[in-house]
Amino acid sequence: MIPKINEMDIDNLQTLVEKISEVMETPVTIEDAEHRLLAYSSHDPNSDPARIATIVGRKVPEDVVRALYESGAMQQLLDTWEPVHVEGMSQVGLNNRMAIAIRHYDEVLGYIWLLENKGSFTSEQIQQLKYSATLAASKMIQMQKRKQSIDFFNRLLKGRFTSEQDALAQAREVGIQMPAYSYILMIEQDGNHDNNDWLDKAMQAATEYAVRIVLHLRESHRLILLCSTAKTASSVAPVEHTIVPLVNRLSTLLPSSRIEYGAGSVVSSVLAISRSYTEAQYLLMLHHRLPETTSILYYPQAGFYRYLYAMKQEAVQFPAYTSPLDKLAAYDQEHHSHLLHTLAVFLDHNSDAKLAAGQLHVHTNTLNYRLKRIAEVGQIDLNDMAQKVTLYLEIKLLLLEESE
């Protein structure tokens, strides 16, 4: 009994082409209207040279396409909704074929090609093939829409639109309803990892927290999401009250300590989405270079960390003075001491000597001695808040540079 092709079992063109091959008991390829290969069934020893060349080159060879047009076979395919028998052409390595055009109304989107190695097909197989062509059309339209939405999203992220009206007009063309308020959420993991289930998990978490994922872009090591928020001008609950629980839920659905999350600011302008994207990228960069920031999930909550790169550029462009940190670093190198690290830990612990000593695994008296040497060598007044804030920020800049 011939197996049936069920739409519910077809995820994409690859699963469809394998199913067609199973039903028709022959090798199958699916091409677009320009004869570019979209999917092909598993290798079969009965493949002819034309099929092998198509798979290797990801496109039907030019001499085969030319021969098909010259023989009138392509015109037959373009003129009918029915499958067409194509006589073999040994001069271009083409054995007998059956083909059917994939149509969306009157537009030909592509073709399904089958080898006729075993002779003619049954009427039931022909009906299954015709049904497959309608499924292929549906999948190809989905692919076209997905490509259009990816292109649109990429332009948004890179700030390629010149006006709000232009961006919204293209969104309508692609069939995307842009929200009034949105933000970029990025999920990232170092290296190439299997992130195929990230989107499904993100959709699940978003549904639980009434967040709409408007657009998504999957890359080898990250997932970029454009999320909508119900924030309004009169909203009492800050938007981070949604983002943080959403990310916490994602952390349970994607239980890997190496996955990082970062969200840019909520924006009300389509053109400002690129800014939210830049902020999310910056936040993830901070997570990698300054691990202390990994708990910061929402860019506006990043405090002074938001300004580190601007401060770094200022320091490089206008070097104003020799920092006390330079003196401490030189002293450490000469005396094999750890004054700079001690100062960093001391400031990180809010100038609490007991906590800092515990972190450094030294006695409080030892720490107090080091602090005295720090003050002398660096000419630092550790009771001056302005000096301590400046040194704290310069240490963060130093750590940022060292991690680059």
Side-chain angles (χ1 to χ4, degrees), residues 320-394:
Y321 74 113
T322 300
S323 169
L325 301 185
D326 297 326
K327 298 176 183 177
L328 294 178
Y331 183 90
D332 283 343
Q333 187 171 8
E334 182 180 350
H335 297 88
H336 305 289
S337 57
H338 306 283
L339 297 187
L340 185 54
H341 177 62
T342 298
L343 177 61
V345 173
F346 178 69
L347 294 177
D348 260 337
H349 288 77
N350 197 28
S351 303
D352 188 313
K354 185 176 179 180
L355 289 177
Q359 179 67 34
L360 292 166
H361 305 292
V362 299
H363 194 276
T364 306
N365 291 339
T366 302
L367 176 62
N368 287 330
Y369 170 76
R370 290 187 188 178
L371 292 175
K372 183 178 178 182
R373 294 297 299 143
I374 287 169
E376 292 171 354
V377 173
Q379 297 179 316
I380 300 167
D381 182 359
L382 290 174
N383 293 315
D384 185 330
M385 179 58 75
Q387 280 195 48
K388 287 200 293 184
V389 169
T390 299
L391 291 170
Y392 183 69
L393 293 175
E394 287 183 350

Side-chain angles (χ1 to χ4, degrees), residues 183-185 211 238-249 262-266 297-298:
Y183 61 90
I184 294 295
L185 173 62
V211 172
V239 71
E240 57 264 30
H241 287 187
T242 300
I243 291 175
V244 174
L246 174 64
V247 169
N248 288 338
R249 177 61 177 141
S265 299
V266 170
L297 303 174
Y298 182 46

Side-chain angles (χ1 to χ4, degrees), residues 141-337:
I141 288 179
Q142 288 176 17
M143 287 169 58
Q144 287 179 357
K145 288 183 176 179
R146 176 65 189 138
K147 184 180 182 303
Q148 289 172 344
S149 68
I150 288 174
D151 291 343
F152 172 70
F153 196 18
N154 268 316
R155 292 188 67 191
L156 275 183
L157 296 177
K158 294 173 183 176
R160 297 286 171 80
F161 289 101
T162 56
S163 71
E164 193 91 359
Q165 292 77 12
D166 182 28
L168 290 173
Q170 181 148 350
R172 286 191 294 271
E173 286 179 17
V174 181
I176 298 169
Q177 182 183 357
M178 297 301 293
Y181 296 91
S182 61
Y183 61 90
I184 294 295
L185 173 62
M186 290 178 62
I187 309 171
E188 184 176 277
Q189 187 172 2
D190 276 342
N192 293 326
H193 300 273
D194 182 7
N195 60 8
N196 290 329
D197 65 336
W198 287 11
L199 180 60
D200 290 340
K201 302 298 185 185
M203 290 287 192
Q204 179 182 338
T207 300
E208 292 176 14
Y209 286 91
V211 172
R212 180 168 72 96
I213 295 178
V214 183
L215 290 164
H216 70 274
L217 183 61
R218 197 197 310 271
E219 297 178 348
S220 60
H221 66 297
R222 67 169 57 152
L223 179 65
I224 306 169
L225 306 172
L226 177 65
C227 302
S228 72
T229 173
K231 178 184 173 185
T232 62
S234 60
S235 180
V236 267
V239 71
E240 57 264 30
H241 287 187
T242 300
I243 291 175
V244 174
L246 174 64
V247 169
N248 288 338
R249 177 61 177 141
L250 263 173
S251 300
T252 63
L253 295 172
L254 299 171
S256 171
S257 58
R258 292 178 298 170
I259 296 178
E260 299 289 350
Y261 305 87
S265 299
V266 170
V267 296
S268 58
S269 162
V270 176
L271 297 185
I273 288 172
S274 60
R275 190 191 80 212
S276 185
Y277 171 58
T278 300
E279 293 172 351
Q281 282 185 304
Y282 181 77
L283 196 52
L284 288 174
M285 180 276 297
L286 284 176
H287 291 177
H288 294 305
R289 296 183 179 177
L290 297 175
E292 70 210 56
T293 65
T294 53
S295 62
I296 304 172
L297 303 174
Y298 182 46
Y299 180 81
Q301 294 179 330
F304 75 85
Y305 289 103
R306 292 178 292 166
Y307 313 120
L308 284 182
Y309 257 93
M311 293 165 59
K312 177 186 173 183
Q313 291 169 356
E314 170 74 17
V316 170
Q317 190 172 2
F318 304 107
Y321 74 113
T322 300
S323 169
L325 301 185
D326 297 326
K327 298 176 183 177
L328 294 178
Y331 183 90
D332 283 343
Q333 187 171 8
E334 182 180 350
H335 297 88
H336 305 289
S337 57

